[in-house]
Amino acid sequence: MTELSTGTILERNRDMLFSHIDHEVVIFHMMKGAYFSLDEVGADIWSRLDTPMTVAALCDSLTADYDGDGAEIERDVLVLLADMKDAGLVILHQP
């Protein structure tokens, strides 16, 4: 199992079908036959992961755009990314 760290490079899994609905994203994992829903912030993260980036770069860009503590944003993002990784929604690349 690959651990997430701030140096981990992520990108969204290109095999997923998804649709923006209002401010959310609904993702269909064809191999699992499962749907996933991301709220507005999760949808923003999904959009940002269209381009591969490190967890640190993702957290820095979110901290710049959202009013919040950088350490808290990093903790919350790492939890979401771990869930997304476990669901197969993102691809991880170690540096």
Side-chain angles (χ1 to χ4, degrees), residues 22-69:
D22 293 324
H23 298 287
E24 298 181 358
V25 169
V26 176
I27 305 165
F28 179 58
H29 192 304
M30 291 185 298
M31 297 298 289
K32 293 183 178 182
Y35 286 93
F36 300 90
S37 177
L38 297 174
D39 65 11
E40 187 172 352
V41 175
D44 185 16
I45 291 169
W46 178 258
S47 293
R48 292 173 195 244
L49 291 177
D50 184 42
T51 303
M53 67 176 56
T54 63
V55 172
L58 175 62
C59 290
D60 288 347
S61 69
L62 291 167
T63 299
D65 291 344
Y66 290 93
D67 185 28
D69 175 65

Side-chain angles (χ1 to χ4, degrees), residues 3 7 9 12 14-15 24 30 32 38 40 47 49 57 60 68 80 82 84 90 92 94:
E3 278 299 313
I9 300 169
R12 65 184 184 204
R14 305 259 179 233
D15 293 335
E24 298 181 358
M30 291 185 298
K32 293 183 178 182
L38 297 174
E40 187 172 352
S47 293
L49 291 177
D60 288 347
L80 175 62
M84 292 173 76
V90 293
L92 278 62
Q94 292 300 331

Side-chain angles (χ1 to χ4, degrees), residues 61-91:
S61 69
L62 291 167
T63 299
D65 291 344
Y66 290 93
D67 185 28
D69 175 65
E72 185 177 338
I73 288 172
E74 183 178 302
R75 276 192 311 273
D76 291 346
V77 167
L78 283 169
V79 169
L80 175 62
L81 292 175
D83 289 344
M84 292 173 76
K85 176 185 75 79
D86 292 344
L89 303 181
V90 293
I91 309 273

